[in-house]
């Protein structure tokens, strides 16, 4: 690789507070051998600065390296980073446990009706469901669409619960815990027999609207959609229609086309829809997970090595 100036400072932009505590995040770099500063939009940068941020800023193009603390980097102008020769990295590859757990949590809750019991608890109501409604996830088929970090995390945990896990991916390379693989061209065949369908693909022009009316019509009427990837991958209006007419049984949703989800969105009103506020990765050590990744890439930069998770 061509020579690049050594980094002399790590700047933590205040926008990281959108997802993690900024002070604790900065303190996680205590062992780094350069100063760590919390900066705002008025800060100026040069090629000896590294920046960790949630939001993009034009001024970051003057830095030596920029890290987006989230997996989704679509707000960052990758073409501009390419033009300026500034490496841009993201935080993919660290969400297998956190997102895998919340996806499995949705499935267990939907199967065993934990969300329904909690609703009735709020009304001090002793609720007993119809005998046929609750079921176990064991031996139920889960189709994981996308087998990157998120998908593998979901598949591994579902397999441990005894689920019949199949997956959709372009490569035919086997994946631990996944019994059968389908090509994306065979998506309908893959989801047709699944009790649960989990979306775990990145949001790209190709995947936007990947799930719409034809897919919901293909799914079983007792099937549940899990979306822990990005909201626009599932056509929200089509999903609402499918829930309205009973084409699918319910959903566990952490992501939406518009966030925060507007108060008048019909998704709030479905008993069999579990909504969380895009917090699939949120734990009390998430800032440490990101800091570990940033320090790994920082060391790679200083050593002149290829950067993990480089997207521009």
């Amino acid at each position: 690789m061509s020579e690049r100036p050594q980094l002399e400072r790590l700047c933590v932009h205040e926008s990281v507070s959108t997802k993690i505590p900024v002070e604790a995040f900065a303190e996680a770099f205590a062992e780094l051998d350069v100063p760590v500063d919390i900066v705002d939009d008025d800060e100026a940068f040069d090629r000896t600065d590294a920046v960790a941020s949630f939001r993009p800023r034009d001024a970051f193009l003057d830095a030596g390296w920029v890290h987006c603390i989230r997996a989704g980097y679509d707000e960052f102008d990758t073409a501009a980073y390419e033009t300026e020769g500034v490496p841009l990295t993201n935080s993919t590859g660290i969400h297998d446990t956190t997102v895998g757990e919340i996806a499995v949590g949705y499935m267990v809750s939907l199967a065993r009706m934990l969300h329904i019991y909690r609703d009735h608890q709020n009304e001090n109501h002793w609720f007993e469901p119809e005998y046929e409604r609750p079921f176990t996830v064991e031996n139920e088929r889960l189709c994981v669409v996308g087998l990157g970090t998120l998908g593998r995390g979901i598949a591994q945990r579902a397999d441990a619960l005894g689920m019949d896990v199949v997956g959709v991916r372009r490569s035919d390379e086997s994946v631990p815990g996944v019994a059968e693989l389908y090509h994306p061209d065979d998506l309908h065949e893959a989801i047709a027999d699944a009790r649960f369908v989990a979306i775990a693909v990145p949001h790209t022009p190709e995947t936007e609207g990947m799930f719409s009316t034809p897919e919901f019509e293909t799914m079983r009427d007792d099937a549940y959609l899990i979306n822990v990837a990005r909201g626009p991958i599932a056509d929200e209006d089509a999903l609402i229609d499918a829930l309205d007419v009973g084409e699918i049984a319910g959903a566990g949703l952490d992501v939406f086309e518009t966030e925060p989800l507007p108060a008048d969105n019909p998704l709030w009103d479905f008993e069999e829809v579990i909504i969380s506020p895009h917090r699939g990765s949120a734990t009390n050590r998430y800032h440490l997970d990101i800091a570990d990744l940033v320090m790994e890439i920082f060391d790679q930069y200083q050593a002149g090595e290829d950067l993990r998770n480089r997207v521009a």
Side-chain angles (χ1 to χ4, degrees):
M1 297 183 66
S2 60
E3 285 191 22
R4 52 198 179 200
Q6 289 285 286
L7 298 171
E8 299 177 3
R9 182 175 65 146
L10 174 62
C11 302
V12 174
H13 188 261
E14 61 185 1
S15 65
V16 304
S17 63
T18 304
K19 288 290 183 182
I20 54 178
V22 62
E23 298 278 356
F25 184 53
E27 290 169 4
F29 299 104
E31 297 184 5
L32 210 59
D33 59 1
V34 300
V36 179
D37 295 335
I38 297 172
V39 300
D40 58 23
D41 287 345
D42 295 327
E43 190 73 18
F45 306 96
D46 63 37
R47 293 292 189 241
T48 65
D49 290 325
V51 180
S53 182
F54 182 81
R55 301 285 185 198
R57 295 291 184 266
D58 290 343
F60 295 167
L61 292 169
D62 295 327
W65 157 52
V66 177
H67 182 80
C68 171
I69 69 158
R70 46 186 166 154
Y73 57 92
D74 43 301
E75 289 185 27
F76 287 74
D77 185 350
T78 53
Y81 281 86
E82 295 281 2
T83 299
E84 294 296 329
V86 178
L88 174 68
T89 55
N90 72 337
S91 293
T92 193
I94 62 172
H95 303 103
D96 52 338
T97 296
T98 52
V99 174
E101 285 182 352
I102 201 169
V104 168
Y106 287 144
M107 291 187 283
V108 172
S109 293
L110 290 164
R112 301 306 305 274
M113 302 182 62
L114 304 184
H115 59 303
I116 304 295
Y117 298 144
R118 185 55 184 249
D119 288 345
H120 286 274
Q121 178 182 338
N122 290 334
E123 302 297 329
N124 296 353
H125 179 219
W126 184 273
F127 172 74
E128 297 184 9
E130 294 181 5
Y131 180 80
E132 296 296 333
R133 168 57 182 87
F135 62 97
T136 65
V137 297
E138 185 178 19
N139 296 322
E140 292 288 351
R141 172 162 286 202
L142 162 66
C143 179
V144 183
V145 182
L147 287 165
T149 301
L150 299 189
R152 286 170 179 259
I154 297 168
Q156 177 186 350
R157 286 155 183 80
D159 178 61
L161 289 174
M163 299 184 75
D164 172 25
V165 183
V166 301
V168 176
R169 69 179 309 198
R170 294 194 177 278
S171 169
D172 59 3
E173 181 183 350
S174 64
V175 177
V178 180
E180 187 174 0
L181 292 172
Y182 293 84
H183 190 272
D185 291 344
D186 301 318
L187 175 64
H188 283 202
E189 181 183 353
I191 65 178
D193 295 327
R195 191 69 183 271
F196 294 96
V197 175
I199 300 175
V201 292
H203 178 210
T204 67
E206 292 73 29
T207 62
E208 182 155 341
M210 183 179 191
F211 277 79
S212 192
T213 301
E215 288 67 42
F216 299 133
E217 289 176 344
T218 300
M219 290 170 62
R220 292 165 45 170
D221 60 10
D222 63 351
Y224 297 86
L225 181 75
I226 308 297
N227 191 359
V228 291
R230 285 293 182 268
I233 299 170
D235 181 332
E236 211 162 90
D237 289 337
L239 174 58
I240 290 167
D241 289 343
L243 291 163
D244 259 334
V245 301
E247 283 177 345
I248 65 173
L253 307 172
D254 189 49
V255 290
F256 307 89
E257 290 181 356
T258 301
E259 296 179 3
L261 186 66
D264 60 354
N265 190 296
L267 288 171
W268 291 110
D269 301 323
F270 289 102
E271 185 177 56
E272 292 289 0
V273 172
I274 301 175
I275 288 172
S276 55
H278 202 157
R279 285 297 182 271
S281 58
T283 70
N284 58 6
R285 62 157 290 120
Y286 186 39
H287 67 293
L288 299 177
D289 295 338
I290 300 173
D292 287 344
L293 175 62
V294 171
M295 286 190 285
E296 177 186 344
I297 301 174
F298 184 94
D299 289 343
Q300 292 169 343
Y301 186 101
Q302 299 291 67
E305 299 172 352
D306 292 336
L307 305 184
R308 176 181 173 183
N309 291 358
R310 184 167 182 171
V311 295

